[in-house]
Amino acid sequence: VLSRRRNARVDGLDIDLLVETDRAVYVVEVKTRARRRDIDVVARKAEAARGAYGKPAVAILAGVRIGDDVEKYAKGKGVQVYRY
């Protein structure tokens, strides 16, 4: 891990947690109750981070209440989901 920043900003977009390694950038969004539009938002933020850092970006949605339909939608968009 090269850096870890909470409440980071990339290209004017707020990111809950941004972790940079030597190989990739991880964009983590945390939601209590996730919706499909949250998947689209985190995917856009990951794309912005990819451009800003010049590395592959991994979009991650973490949350407590993530329905199966939202998780399926996320997988289709290439967004990883972590329930806790």
Side-chain angles (χ1 to χ4, degrees):
V1 174
L2 300 175
S3 69
R4 179 179 54 215
R5 293 187 301 155
R6 290 178 56 195
N7 303 318
R9 287 187 66 81
V10 174
D11 290 343
L13 301 170
D14 293 320
I15 298 173
D16 292 341
L17 176 64
L18 183 85
V19 178
E20 181 185 6
T21 68
D22 57 342
R23 295 182 182 185
V25 178
Y26 297 84
V27 176
V28 182
E29 287 297 308
V30 180
K31 298 291 180 189
T32 302
R33 184 173 181 206
R35 294 182 171 90
R36 283 182 173 219
R37 68 175 175 237
D38 297 321
I39 301 301
D40 296 330
V41 169
V42 73
R44 268 195 314 274
K45 291 177 181 183
E47 189 60 35
R50 183 182 347 266
Y53 285 84
K55 299 179 183 183
V58 179
I60 301 169
L61 178 74
V64 178
R65 288 191 248 157
I66 300 174
D68 292 338
D69 60 324
V70 173
E71 187 168 2
K72 183 178 178 182
Y73 183 72
K75 287 182 181 181
K77 293 282 190 169
V79 175
Q80 295 180 17
V81 173
Y82 292 92
R83 294 182 194 187
Y84 59 91

